[in-house]
Amino acid sequence: MKKHITLFIWGLVVLIAFCLNLFGLMHLIPLFITMPLLFVSIFGFLATWNSRNQFKGFYQKRMWQ
């Protein structure tokens, strides 16, 4: 449930950053500010979406300690 809320928040951040980027393309806001914001928001959304429990192998006991 916590992951769904986090994804929803990141989705809202992506939409806000996209709207700001449109304002940047209309030369209302500097584009060098809006492009990194959009990149960071998309990166955060994808990193959160991709964070899942990954299999890291079986634990092997050593025979000699």
Side-chain angles (χ1 to χ4, degrees):
M1 186 69 184
K2 182 180 177 185
K3 184 176 178 181
H4 295 295
I5 294 171
T6 309
L7 281 175
F8 179 73
I9 291 171
W10 275 112
L12 286 177
V13 171
V14 168
L15 287 176
I16 291 169
F18 181 73
C19 291
L20 287 176
N21 196 21
L22 288 178
F23 289 149
L25 290 173
M26 292 187 287
H27 300 290
L28 299 175
I29 301 174
L31 200 58
F32 63 87
I33 294 173
T34 61
M35 289 299 280
L37 284 175
L38 183 62
F39 174 76
V40 168
S41 65
I42 291 173
F43 183 78
F45 177 77
L46 292 177
T48 305
W49 188 33
N50 195 24
S51 66
R52 59 186 186 275
N53 294 330
Q54 297 177 348
F55 179 71
K56 295 182 178 160
F58 293 111
Y59 175 72
Q60 294 180 348
K61 286 187 177 181
R62 293 186 186 181
M63 194 168 192
W64 308 102
Q65 291 199 22

Coordinates of all heavy atoms in Angstrom, one line a residue:
M1 N 0.8 -1.2 0.0 CA 0.0 0.0 0.0 C 0.9 1.3 0.0 O 0.5 2.2 -0.7 CB -0.9 0.0 1.2 CG -1.9 1.1 1.3 SD -3.1 0.8 0.0 CE -4.1 2.2 0.2
K2 N 2.0 1.2 0.7 CA 2.9 2.4 0.8 C 3.5 2.7 -0.6 O 3.6 3.8 -0.9 CB 3.9 2.1 1.8 CG 4.9 3.3 2.0 CD 5.9 2.9 3.1 CE 6.9 4.1 3.2 NZ 8.0 3.8 4.1
K3 N 3.8 1.6 -1.3 CA 4.4 1.8 -2.6 C 3.4 2.5 -3.6 O 3.8 3.3 -4.4 CB 4.8 0.5 -3.2 CG 5.6 0.6 -4.5 CD 6.1 -0.7 -5.0 CE 6.8 -0.6 -6.3 NZ 7.3 -1.8 -6.8
H4 N 2.1 2.1 -3.5 CA 1.1 2.8 -4.3 C 1.0 4.2 -4.1 O 0.8 5.0 -5.0 CB -0.3 2.1 -4.1 CG -0.3 0.6 -4.6 ND1 -0.1 0.3 -5.9 CD2 -0.5 -0.5 -3.9 CE1 -0.2 -1.0 -6.0 NE2 -0.4 -1.5 -4.7
I5 N 1.0 4.6 -2.8 CA 0.9 6.0 -2.5 C 2.2 6.8 -3.0 O 2.1 7.9 -3.5 CB 0.8 6.2 -0.9 CG1 -0.6 5.6 -0.5 CG2 0.9 7.7 -0.5 CD1 -0.7 5.6 1.0
T6 N 3.3 6.2 -2.8 CA 4.6 6.8 -3.3 C 4.5 6.9 -4.8 O 5.0 8.0 -5.4 CB 5.8 5.9 -2.9 OG1 5.7 5.7 -1.5 CG2 7.1 6.7 -3.2
L7 N 4.1 5.9 -5.5 CA 4.0 6.0 -7.0 C 3.0 7.1 -7.4 O 3.2 7.8 -8.4 CB 3.5 4.7 -7.6 CG 4.6 3.6 -7.7 CD1 4.0 2.3 -8.2 CD2 5.7 4.1 -8.7
F8 N 1.9 7.2 -6.7 CA 0.9 8.3 -7.0 C 1.5 9.7 -6.8 O 1.3 10.5 -7.6 CB -0.3 8.1 -6.1 CG -1.4 9.1 -6.3 CD1 -2.1 9.1 -7.4 CD2 -1.6 10.1 -5.4 CE1 -3.1 10.1 -7.7 CE2 -2.5 11.1 -5.5 CZ -3.3 11.1 -6.7
I9 N 2.3 9.8 -5.7 CA 2.9 11.1 -5.4 C 4.0 11.4 -6.5 O 4.0 12.6 -7.0 CB 3.6 11.1 -4.0 CG1 2.5 11.1 -3.0 CG2 4.5 12.4 -3.9 CD1 2.9 10.9 -1.6
W10 N 4.8 10.4 -6.9 CA 5.7 10.6 -8.0 C 5.0 10.9 -9.3 O 5.5 11.7 -10.1 CB 6.7 9.4 -8.1 CG 7.8 9.5 -7.2 CD1 8.1 8.6 -6.2 CD2 8.9 10.4 -7.3 NE1 9.3 9.0 -5.6 CE2 9.8 10.1 -6.2 CE3 9.3 11.5 -8.1 CZ2 11.0 10.8 -6.0 CZ3 10.4 12.2 -7.8 CH2 11.3 11.8 -6.8
G11 N 3.9 10.3 -9.6 CA 3.1 10.6 -10.8 C 2.7 12.1 -10.8 O 2.7 12.7 -11.8
L12 N 2.2 12.5 -9.6 CA 1.8 14.0 -9.6 C 3.0 14.9 -9.8 O 2.9 15.9 -10.5 CB 1.2 14.3 -8.2 CG -0.2 13.7 -8.0 CD1 -0.7 14.0 -6.6 CD2 -1.2 14.3 -9.0
V13 N 4.2 14.5 -9.2 CA 5.4 15.3 -9.4 C 5.8 15.4 -10.9 O 6.2 16.4 -11.4 CB 6.5 14.8 -8.5 CG1 7.8 15.5 -8.9 CG2 6.2 15.0 -7.1
V14 N 5.6 14.2 -11.6 CA 5.9 14.2 -13.0 C 5.0 15.1 -13.8 O 5.4 15.8 -14.7 CB 5.9 12.7 -13.6 CG1 5.9 12.7 -15.1 CG2 7.0 11.9 -13.0
L15 N 3.7 15.0 -13.5 CA 2.7 15.9 -14.2 C 3.0 17.4 -13.9 O 2.9 18.2 -14.9 CB 1.3 15.6 -13.7 CG 0.8 14.3 -14.3 CD1 -0.6 14.0 -13.7 CD2 0.7 14.3 -15.8
I16 N 3.4 17.7 -12.7 CA 3.7 19.1 -12.4 C 4.9 19.6 -13.1 O 5.0 20.7 -13.7 CB 3.8 19.3 -10.9 CG1 2.5 19.2 -10.2 CG2 4.4 20.7 -10.6 CD1 2.5 19.1 -8.7
A17 N 6.0 18.7 -13.2 CA 7.2 19.0 -13.8 C 7.0 19.1 -15.4 O 7.6 20.0 -16.0 CB 8.3 18.0 -13.5
F18 N 6.1 18.3 -15.9 CA 5.8 18.4 -17.3 C 5.1 19.7 -17.6 O 5.4 20.3 -18.7 CB 4.9 17.2 -17.7 CG 4.5 17.2 -19.2 CD1 5.5 16.9 -20.1 CD2 3.3 17.5 -19.6 CE1 5.2 16.9 -21.5 CE2 2.9 17.5 -20.9 CZ 3.9 17.2 -21.9
C19 N 4.2 20.1 -16.8 CA 3.5 21.4 -17.0 C 4.5 22.6 -16.9 O 4.5 23.5 -17.7 CB 2.4 21.6 -16.0 SG 1.0 20.5 -16.3
L20 N 5.4 22.5 -16.0 CA 6.5 23.5 -15.9 C 7.4 23.5 -17.1 O 7.8 24.6 -17.5 CB 7.3 23.3 -14.6 CG 6.6 23.7 -13.3 CD1 7.5 23.3 -12.1 CD2 6.3 25.1 -13.3
N21 N 7.6 22.3 -17.6 CA 8.4 22.2 -18.8 C 7.7 22.8 -20.0 O 8.4 23.5 -20.9 CB 8.8 20.8 -19.1 CG 9.9 20.6 -20.1 OD1 10.7 21.5 -20.2 ND2 10.0 19.5 -20.7
L22 N 6.4 22.7 -20.1 CA 5.6 23.4 -21.1 C 5.8 24.9 -21.0 O 5.9 25.6 -22.0 CB 4.2 22.9 -21.1 CG 3.9 21.5 -21.6 CD1 2.4 21.2 -21.5 CD2 4.4 21.3 -23.0
F23 N 5.7 25.4 -19.8 CA 5.9 26.8 -19.6 C 7.3 27.2 -20.0 O 7.5 28.3 -20.5 CB 5.7 27.2 -18.1 CG 4.2 27.1 -17.7 CD1 3.9 26.8 -16.4 CD2 3.2 27.4 -18.6 CE1 2.6 26.8 -16.0 CE2 1.9 27.4 -18.2 CZ 1.6 27.1 -16.9
G24 N 8.3 26.3 -19.8 CA 9.6 26.6 -20.2 C 9.8 26.7 -21.7 O 10.5 27.5 -22.2
L25 N 9.0 25.8 -22.4 CA 9.0 25.8 -23.8 C 8.4 27.1 -24.4 O 8.7 27.5 -25.5 CB 8.4 24.6 -24.4 CG 9.2 23.3 -24.2 CD1 8.3 22.1 -24.6 CD2 10.5 23.3 -24.9
M26 N 7.5 27.7 -23.6 CA 6.8 28.9 -24.0 C 7.6 30.1 -23.6 O 7.2 31.3 -23.7 CB 5.4 29.0 -23.4 CG 4.5 28.0 -24.0 SD 2.8 28.2 -23.5 CE 2.8 27.6 -21.8
H27 N 8.8 29.9 -23.0 CA 9.7 31.0 -22.5 C 9.1 31.8 -21.4 O 9.4 33.0 -21.2 CB 10.2 31.9 -23.7 CG 10.9 31.2 -24.8 ND1 12.1 30.6 -24.6 CD2 10.5 30.8 -26.0 CE1 12.5 30.1 -25.7 NE2 11.5 30.2 -26.6
L28 N 8.3 31.1 -20.5 CA 7.8 31.8 -19.4 C 8.7 31.5 -18.1 O 8.7 32.3 -17.2 CB 6.4 31.4 -19.1 CG 5.4 31.7 -20.2 CD1 4.0 31.1 -19.8 CD2 5.2 33.2 -20.3
I29 N 9.3 30.4 -18.1 CA 10.3 29.9 -17.1 C 11.5 29.5 -17.8 O 11.5 28.9 -18.9 CB 9.7 28.7 -16.3 CG1 8.4 29.1 -15.6 CG2 10.7 28.3 -15.2 CD1 7.7 28.0 -14.9
P30 N 12.7 29.7 -17.2 CA 13.9 29.3 -17.9 C 13.9 27.8 -18.1 O 13.6 27.0 -17.2 CB 15.0 29.7 -17.0 CG 14.5 30.8 -16.1 CD 13.0 30.5 -16.0
L31 N 14.3 27.4 -19.3 CA 14.3 26.0 -19.7 C 15.4 25.2 -19.0 O 15.2 24.0 -18.7 CB 14.4 25.8 -21.2 CG 14.0 24.5 -21.9 CD1 12.5 24.3 -21.6 CD2 14.2 24.6 -23.3
F32 N 16.5 25.8 -18.6 CA 17.5 25.1 -17.9 C 17.2 24.8 -16.5 O 17.9 24.0 -15.8 CB 18.9 25.9 -17.9 CG 18.9 27.2 -17.3 CD1 19.1 27.3 -15.9 CD2 18.6 28.3 -18.0 CE1 19.1 28.5 -15.3 CE2 18.5 29.6 -17.3 CZ 18.8 29.7 -16.0
I33 N 16.0 25.3 -16.0 CA 15.5 24.9 -14.7 C 14.5 23.8 -14.8 O 14.5 22.9 -14.0 CB 14.9 26.1 -13.9 CG1 16.0 27.2 -13.6 CG2 14.2 25.7 -12.7 CD1 15.5 28.5 -13.1
T34 N 13.7 23.9 -15.8 CA 12.6 22.9 -15.9 C 13.0 21.6 -16.5 O 12.4 20.5 -16.1 CB 11.5 23.5 -16.8 OG1 12.0 23.7 -18.2 CG2 10.9 24.8 -16.3
M35 N 14.0 21.5 -17.3 CA 14.5 20.2 -17.9 C 15.1 19.3 -16.8 O 14.7 18.1 -16.8 CB 15.4 20.4 -19.0 CG 14.8 21.0 -20.3 SD 13.5 19.9 -20.9 CE 14.6 18.8 -21.8
P36 N 15.9 19.8 -15.9 CA 16.4 18.9 -14.9 C 15.3 18.5 -13.9 O 15.3 17.3 -13.4 CB 17.5 19.7 -14.1 CG 17.9 20.7 -15.1 CD 16.7 21.0 -15.9
L37 N 14.3 19.3 -13.6 CA 13.2 18.9 -12.8 C 12.4 17.8 -13.4 O 12.0 16.9 -12.7 CB 12.3 20.1 -12.5 CG 12.8 21.2 -11.5 CD1 11.8 22.3 -11.5 CD2 12.9 20.6 -10.2
L38 N 12.2 17.9 -14.7 CA 11.5 16.8 -15.4 C 12.3 15.5 -15.4 O 11.7 14.4 -15.1 CB 11.1 17.2 -16.8 CG 10.3 16.2 -17.6 CD1 8.9 16.0 -17.0 CD2 10.2 16.7 -19.0
F39 N 13.6 15.6 -15.6 CA 14.4 14.4 -15.6 C 14.4 13.8 -14.2 O 14.3 12.6 -14.1 CB 15.8 14.8 -16.0 CG 16.8 13.7 -15.9 CD1 16.8 12.6 -16.8 CD2 17.7 13.6 -14.8 CE1 17.7 11.6 -16.7 CE2 18.6 12.6 -14.7 CZ 18.6 11.5 -15.6
V40 N 14.6 14.6 -13.2 CA 14.7 14.0 -11.8 C 13.3 13.4 -11.4 O 13.3 12.3 -10.8 CB 15.1 15.1 -10.8 CG1 14.9 14.7 -9.4 CG2 16.6 15.5 -11.1
S41 N 12.2 14.0 -11.8 CA 10.9 13.5 -11.5 C 10.7 12.1 -12.2 O 10.1 11.2 -11.6 CB 9.8 14.5 -11.7 OG 9.7 14.7 -13.1
I42 N 11.0 12.1 -13.5 CA 10.8 10.8 -14.2 C 11.7 9.7 -13.7 O 11.4 8.6 -13.5 CB 11.0 11.0 -15.7 CG1 9.9 11.9 -16.3 CG2 11.1 9.7 -16.5 CD1 10.1 12.3 -17.7
F43 N 13.0 10.1 -13.3 CA 13.9 9.1 -12.8 C 13.4 8.6 -11.4 O 13.5 7.4 -11.1 CB 15.3 9.8 -12.6 CG 16.3 8.9 -12.1 CD1 16.9 7.9 -12.9 CD2 16.7 8.9 -10.8 CE1 17.9 7.1 -12.5 CE2 17.7 8.1 -10.3 CZ 18.3 7.1 -11.1
G44 N 12.9 9.5 -10.6 CA 12.4 9.1 -9.3 C 11.2 8.2 -9.4 O 11.0 7.2 -8.7
F45 N 10.3 8.5 -10.4 CA 9.1 7.6 -10.6 C 9.5 6.3 -11.1 O 9.0 5.2 -10.6 CB 8.2 8.3 -11.7 CG 7.0 7.5 -12.0 CD1 5.9 7.4 -11.2 CD2 7.0 6.8 -13.2 CE1 4.8 6.7 -11.5 CE2 5.9 6.0 -13.5 CZ 4.8 5.9 -12.7
L46 N 10.5 6.2 -12.0 CA 10.9 4.9 -12.5 C 11.7 4.1 -11.5 O 11.6 2.9 -11.4 CB 11.7 5.0 -13.8 CG 10.9 5.5 -15.0 CD1 11.9 5.7 -16.2 CD2 9.8 4.6 -15.4
A47 N 12.5 4.8 -10.7 CA 13.2 4.1 -9.7 C 12.3 3.5 -8.6 O 12.5 2.4 -8.1 CB 14.3 5.0 -9.0
T48 N 11.3 4.3 -8.2 CA 10.3 3.8 -7.3 C 9.5 2.6 -7.8 O 9.2 1.6 -7.2 CB 9.4 4.9 -6.8 OG1 10.1 6.0 -6.4 CG2 8.4 4.4 -5.8
W49 N 9.1 2.7 -9.1 CA 8.3 1.7 -9.8 C 9.1 0.4 -9.9 O 8.6 -0.7 -9.8 CB 7.9 2.2 -11.1 CG 6.9 1.3 -11.8 CD1 5.9 0.5 -11.2 CD2 6.8 1.1 -13.2 NE1 5.2 -0.1 -12.2 CE2 5.7 0.2 -13.4 CE3 7.4 1.6 -14.3 CZ2 5.3 -0.2 -14.7 CZ3 7.0 1.3 -15.6 CH2 6.0 0.4 -15.7
N50 N 10.4 0.5 -10.1 CA 11.3 -0.6 -10.3 C 11.8 -1.3 -9.0 O 12.3 -2.4 -9.1 CB 12.5 -0.3 -11.2 CG 13.2 -1.5 -11.8 OD1 12.6 -2.5 -11.9 ND2 14.4 -1.3 -12.1
S51 N 11.6 -0.6 -7.9 CA 12.1 -1.1 -6.7 C 11.2 -2.2 -6.2 O 10.1 -2.0 -5.7 CB 12.3 -0.1 -5.6 OG 11.0 0.5 -5.3
R52 N 11.6 -3.5 -6.3 CA 10.8 -4.6 -5.8 C 11.7 -5.6 -5.2 O 13.0 -5.4 -5.2 CB 10.1 -5.2 -7.0 CG 11.1 -5.7 -8.1 CD 10.3 -6.2 -9.3 NE 11.2 -6.8 -10.3 CZ 11.8 -6.2 -11.2 NH1 11.7 -4.9 -11.3 NH2 12.6 -6.8 -12.1
N53 N 11.2 -6.6 -4.5 CA 12.0 -7.6 -3.9 C 12.6 -8.4 -5.0 O 11.9 -9.2 -5.7 CB 11.1 -8.4 -3.0 CG 10.6 -7.6 -1.8 OD1 11.2 -6.7 -1.4 ND2 9.4 -8.0 -1.3
Q54 N 13.9 -8.4 -5.0 CA 14.7 -9.1 -6.0 C 15.3 -10.3 -5.4 O 15.8 -10.3 -4.3 CB 15.7 -8.3 -6.7 CG 15.0 -7.1 -7.5 CD 16.1 -6.2 -8.1 OE1 17.2 -6.3 -7.8 NE2 15.6 -5.3 -9.0
F55 N 15.4 -11.4 -6.1 CA 16.0 -12.6 -5.6 C 17.5 -12.4 -5.7 O 18.1 -12.1 -6.7 CB 15.6 -13.8 -6.5 CG 16.3 -15.1 -6.1 CD1 15.9 -15.7 -4.9 CD2 17.3 -15.7 -6.9 CE1 16.5 -16.9 -4.5 CE2 17.8 -16.9 -6.5 CZ 17.4 -17.5 -5.3
K56 N 18.2 -12.7 -4.5 CA 19.6 -12.5 -4.4 C 20.4 -13.8 -4.2 O 21.5 -13.7 -3.8 CB 19.9 -11.5 -3.3 CG 19.4 -10.1 -3.6 CD 19.7 -9.1 -2.6 CE 19.1 -7.8 -3.0 NZ 19.0 -6.8 -2.0
G57 N 19.7 -14.9 -4.4 CA 20.4 -16.2 -4.3 C 20.1 -16.8 -2.9 O 19.6 -16.2 -2.0
F58 N 20.5 -18.1 -2.9 CA 20.3 -18.8 -1.6 C 21.5 -18.6 -0.7 O 22.6 -18.4 -1.1 CB 20.2 -20.3 -1.9 CG 18.9 -20.7 -2.7 CD1 19.0 -21.1 -4.0 CD2 17.7 -20.6 -2.1 CE1 17.8 -21.4 -4.7 CE2 16.5 -20.9 -2.8 CZ 16.6 -21.3 -4.1
Y59 N 21.2 -18.6 0.6 CA 22.3 -18.6 1.6 C 22.9 -19.9 1.7 O 22.3 -20.9 1.9 CB 21.7 -18.1 2.9 CG 22.7 -18.1 4.0 CD1 23.7 -17.1 4.1 CD2 22.8 -19.1 5.0 CE1 24.7 -17.1 5.1 CE2 23.7 -19.1 6.0 CZ 24.7 -18.1 6.0 OH 25.6 -18.1 7.0
Q60 N 24.3 -19.9 1.5 CA 25.0 -21.2 1.6 C 25.8 -21.2 2.8 O 26.6 -20.3 3.1 CB 25.9 -21.4 0.4 CG 25.1 -21.5 -0.9 CD 26.1 -21.7 -2.1 OE1 27.3 -21.5 -2.0 NE2 25.5 -22.1 -3.2
K61 N 25.7 -22.2 3.6 CA 26.5 -22.4 4.8 C 27.9 -22.9 4.4 O 28.0 -23.7 3.5 CB 25.9 -23.4 5.8 CG 24.8 -22.8 6.5 CD 24.4 -23.8 7.6 CE 23.2 -23.3 8.4 NZ 22.8 -24.2 9.5
R62 N 28.9 -22.4 5.0 CA 30.3 -22.9 4.7 C 30.5 -24.2 5.5 O 30.1 -24.3 6.6 CB 31.3 -21.9 5.1 CG 31.3 -20.6 4.3 CD 32.4 -19.7 4.7 NE 32.4 -18.5 4.0 CZ 33.2 -17.5 4.1 NH1 34.3 -17.7 4.9 NH2 33.1 -16.4 3.5
M63 N 31.2 -25.1 4.8 CA 31.5 -26.3 5.5 C 32.5 -26.2 6.6 O 32.5 -26.8 7.6 CB 31.9 -27.3 4.4 CG 31.9 -28.8 4.9 SD 32.1 -29.8 3.5 CE 31.7 -31.3 4.2
W64 N 33.5 -25.3 6.3 CA 34.6 -25.1 7.3 C 34.5 -23.7 7.7 O 34.5 -22.7 6.9 CB 36.0 -25.4 6.6 CG 36.1 -26.7 5.9 CD1 36.0 -26.9 4.6 CD2 36.2 -27.9 6.6 NE1 36.1 -28.3 4.4 CE2 36.3 -28.9 5.6 CE3 36.4 -28.3 7.9 CZ2 36.4 -30.3 5.9 CZ3 36.6 -29.7 8.2 CH2 36.5 -30.6 7.2
Q65 N 34.6 -23.5 9.0 CA 34.5 -22.1 9.5 C 35.7 -21.7 10.3 O 36.4 -22.2 10.9 CB 33.3 -22.0 10.4 CG 32.0 -22.0 9.6 CD 30.9 -21.4 10.3 OE1 31.0 -20.6 11.2 NE2 29.7 -21.8 9.8

